[in-house]
């Protein structure tokens, strides 16, 4: 909603457009926040922290950038339409995904670690995937892509260690963020997907820097199809050749987690020589 006002300055008429949408959405967020505060008094102790995470996101309505207002409105719709204790995990997972993508504050990463501990990493990823999708405005899932980039950011550990809110558990949150990123990456993948293989460090750096979660999932589907294949080993090797030690460590850990999960369900044995990748990461 906009209002056009005509004013006169220096003897000439000028038109000023006032966008009322952010104000209207801020009012909605305030009302929702009040409802959630009242609801928090009634829910079981296990739902207290998830509701607090939603409240932390609603509290930052004034900092939502204009390009993200559509996603913000969809999040408000989600919070508004979900009721009952069973929906609290869904709303908190979607709110945290939005917070990570749009704000990326240390409290969002702390919230991610808390949700992963409370819900389990796999369940959290499923909730993020299912209830985060309605927030997206494009099939490339830009919001989810931004959130995953924040989860594996090279600067995250230093930021967590430097902030009084998270300094006492910086390593734990950093590790939880990386595992959460891998869990979210594998959501919705099909092991039969194939794409042109990466055959140079430059290609890998380009897709890591500019790709979307949709592209990443197609490549990780090939890793999941055979976590011990020569191509999977080649991906790790390309990351090391790229000269970015952080990217190489992240890719190595993601691959190792895929191998670990495959071994757990009996898809393939876990060779002893592979077990050191997490430590390398």
């Amino acid at each position: 909603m906009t209002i056009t006002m005509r004013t006169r300055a220096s003897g000439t008429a000028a038109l000023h457009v006032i966008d009322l949408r952010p104000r209207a959405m801020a009012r909605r967020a305030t009302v929702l926040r009040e409802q959630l505060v009242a609801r928090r008094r009634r829910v079981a102790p296990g739902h207290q922290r998830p509701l607090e995470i939603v409240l932390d996101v609603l509290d930052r309505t004034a900092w939502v950038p204009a390009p993200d207002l559509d996603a913000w409105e969809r999040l408000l719709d989600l919070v508004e339409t979900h009721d009952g204790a069973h929906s609290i995990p869904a709303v908190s997972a979607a709110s945290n995904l939005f917070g990570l993508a749009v704000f990326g504050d240390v409290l969002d990463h702390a919230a991610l670690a808390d949700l992963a501990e409370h819900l389990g990493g796999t369940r959290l990823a499923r909730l993020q995937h299912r209830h985060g999708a309605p927030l997206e405005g494009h099939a490339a899932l830009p919001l989810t892509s931004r959130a995953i980039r924040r989860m594996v950011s090279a600067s995250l550990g230093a930021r967590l260690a430097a902030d009084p809110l998270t300094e006492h558990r910086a390593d734990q949150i950093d590790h939880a963020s990386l595992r959460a990123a891998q869990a979210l990456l594998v959501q919705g993948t099909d092991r039969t997907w194939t794409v042109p293989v990466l055959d140079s460090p430059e290609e890998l750096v380009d897709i890591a820097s500019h790709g979307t979660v949709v592209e990443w999932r197609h490549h990780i589907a090939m890793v999941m199809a055979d976590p011990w294949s020569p191509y999977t080993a080649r991906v790790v090797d390309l990351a090391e050749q790229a000269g970015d030690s952080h990217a190489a460590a992240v890719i190595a850990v993601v691959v190792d987690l895929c191998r670990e999960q495959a071994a757990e369900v009996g898809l393939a044995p876990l060779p002893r020589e592979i077990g050191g990748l997490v430590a390398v990461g």
Side-chain angles (χ1 to χ4, degrees), residues 54-255:
V54 181
L55 292 170
D56 284 341
V57 174
L58 292 178
D59 283 343
R60 287 172 282 173
T61 180
W63 287 273
V64 178
D68 294 310
L69 286 177
D70 286 342
W72 179 244
E73 188 164 22
R74 296 186 193 105
L75 177 62
L76 295 183
D77 291 341
L78 181 72
V79 176
E80 217 168 37
T81 56
H82 280 63
D83 197 14
H86 67 281
S87 68
I88 292 175
V91 173
S92 61
S95 298
N96 181 239
L97 186 73
F98 181 93
L100 286 164
V102 175
F103 306 123
D105 296 331
V106 294
L107 67 88
D108 297 305
H109 291 279
L112 177 68
D114 290 344
L115 284 175
E117 182 178 0
H118 178 68
L119 301 173
T122 301
R123 185 187 179 199
L124 172 60
R126 288 173 180 165
L127 290 171
Q128 288 173 324
H129 179 60
R130 177 181 176 186
H131 298 283
L135 308 184
E136 302 279 6
H138 193 279
L141 308 182
L143 204 71
T144 302
S145 301
R146 286 158 58 190
I148 291 177
R149 279 198 177 90
R150 304 260 198 193
M151 293 179 198
V152 301
S153 168
S155 63
L156 177 58
R159 290 178 55 216
L160 293 168
D163 195 294
L165 179 69
T166 53
E167 61 181 353
H168 61 291
R169 56 182 187 129
D171 289 341
Q172 181 255 329
I173 296 172
D174 194 12
H175 182 64
S177 291
L178 181 54
R179 293 188 71 95
Q182 187 270 347
L184 184 53
L185 268 174
V186 302
Q187 296 303 308
T189 56
D190 186 329
R191 295 174 189 271
T192 64
W193 287 349
T194 58
V195 286
V197 297
L198 300 170
D199 60 9
S200 73
E202 292 75 21
E203 280 187 282
L204 186 140
V205 170
D206 181 67
I207 194 171
S209 302
H210 308 293
T212 68
V213 66
V214 176
E215 295 173 283
W216 302 334
R217 281 173 174 161
H218 277 74
H219 284 281
I220 205 168
M222 296 171 66
V223 172
M224 293 171 65
D226 187 354
W228 293 274
S229 70
Y231 176 64
T232 299
R234 175 65 173 156
V235 168
V236 177
D237 183 53
L238 289 174
E240 294 172 350
Q241 291 180 38
D244 184 336
S245 59
H246 178 76
V250 168
I251 291 171
V253 173
V254 168
V255 168

